[in-house]
């Protein structure tokens, strides 16, 4: 069996497990996040997509520079697309200290989000991870992605240095630590950490 076949079977297996977990969660809805006291509830500042009134919420703690997060990205996107309004997907920042460009990537996503383009920037960052993750200075590449999204570049540049966004990213990292996140990506389904 070649490497491509192994990856395809792995991705299909994870996809099947994810869909199965969401289906099982829908059979026995629980109070959101009742099982893990340290995982903070969904807040208005969280980036989420899907149905806000659903009883199924998948929270992902991820690092834009993490290769495993980039490998899971198409799967998470596909799960989000396939479950539609039956679930909610939430992205939270967990930039690992060993990844020197993870913070600028997170700040770029936040800066794009301030202009209504978080998920578009999120997708570009993951899809181009191999390019910017090895750059000595990833900021010029992030600005290219912002320009391709037709963002206001002066505002984007200002927001890259926003203390508010830096604080948000730091707080989400700390919340992740408090919830037992020790690697990326880490997923919580209705507050329960998936192993």
């Amino acid at each position: 069996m070649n490497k491509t076949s192994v990856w395809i079977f792995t991705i299909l297996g994870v996809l099947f497990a994810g869909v199965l977990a969401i289906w099982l969660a829908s059979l026995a809805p629980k109070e959101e996040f009742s099982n893990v006291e340290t995982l903070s509830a969904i807040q208005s500042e969280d980036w989420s997509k899907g149905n806000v009134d659903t009883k199924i919420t998948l929270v992902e703690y991820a690092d834009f520079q993490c290769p495993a997060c980039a490998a899971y990205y198409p799967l998470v996107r596909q799960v989000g697309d396939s479950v539609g309004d039956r679930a909610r997907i939430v992205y939270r920042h967990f930039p690992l200290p060993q990844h020197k460009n993870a913070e600028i990537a997170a700040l770029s996503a936040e800066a794009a989000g301030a202009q209504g383009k978080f998920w578009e920037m999120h997708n570009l960052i993951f899809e181009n991870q191999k390019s910017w993750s090895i750059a000595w200075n990833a900021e010029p590449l992030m600005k290219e992605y912002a320009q391709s999204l037709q963002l206001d570049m002066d505002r984007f540049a200002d927001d890259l240095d926003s203390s508010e966004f830096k604080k948000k990213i730091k707080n989400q990292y700390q919340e992740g630590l408090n919830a037992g996140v020790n690697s990326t990506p880490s997923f919580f389904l209705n507050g329960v950490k998936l192993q």
Side-chain angles (χ1 to χ4, degrees):
M1 194 181 285
N2 64 27
K3 287 183 181 181
T4 303
S5 297
V6 171
W7 273 106
I8 290 172
F9 283 115
T10 302
I11 289 172
L12 289 174
V14 172
L15 177 61
F16 176 78
V19 172
L20 179 62
I22 290 172
W23 177 72
L24 290 173
S26 71
L27 294 178
K30 301 173 238 176
E31 184 65 31
E32 191 170 337
F33 302 122
S34 62
N35 294 338
V36 180
E37 293 177 21
T38 57
L39 184 64
S40 63
I42 305 305
Q43 301 167 12
S44 60
E45 67 181 25
D46 281 322
W47 294 109
S48 69
K49 57 184 174 178
N51 185 351
V52 296
D53 296 321
T54 186
K55 297 208 181 279
I56 303 169
T57 301
L58 181 69
V59 176
E60 175 187 16
Y61 280 90
D63 170 345
F64 282 116
Q65 194 172 349
C66 163
C69 295
Y72 273 89
Y73 154 72
L75 178 64
V76 174
R77 189 172 178 182
Q78 184 177 4
V79 168
D81 291 344
S82 66
V83 297
D85 284 341
R86 296 185 310 258
R88 184 180 193 186
I89 307 262
V90 177
Y91 182 91
R92 289 189 177 160
H93 301 286
F94 199 81
L96 299 169
Q98 66 267 33
H99 291 153
K100 69 182 180 102
N101 290 327
E103 185 175 359
I104 190 67
L107 287 167
S108 297
E110 288 295 321
Q115 297 186 49
K117 299 276 184 148
F118 173 82
W119 291 106
E120 292 85 347
M121 180 62 91
H122 165 279
N123 297 347
L124 280 173
I125 290 172
F126 274 130
E127 290 164 6
N128 294 287
Q129 186 192 76
K130 289 181 181 176
S131 300
W132 63 264
S133 65
I134 59 171
W136 179 255
N137 177 7
E139 188 172 324
L141 289 169
M142 296 299 161
K143 288 181 176 176
E144 284 181 25
Y145 305 150
Q147 208 160 25
S148 75
L149 294 174
Q150 300 179 339
L151 300 181
D152 175 330
M153 294 308 294
D154 291 333
R155 182 177 173 194
F156 182 81
D158 288 344
D159 285 343
L160 285 181
D161 199 35
S162 165
S163 59
E164 176 188 344
F165 293 152
K166 289 177 182 177
K167 182 179 178 185
K168 176 183 176 181
I169 292 163
K170 184 178 179 181
N171 287 346
Q172 287 188 348
Y173 181 85
Q174 188 58 53
E175 289 169 1
L177 289 176
N178 293 344
V181 174
N182 55 12
S183 62
T184 55
S186 285
F187 297 97
F188 292 82
L189 182 62
N190 289 355
V192 178
K193 189 175 183 184
L194 300 178
Q195 299 301 322

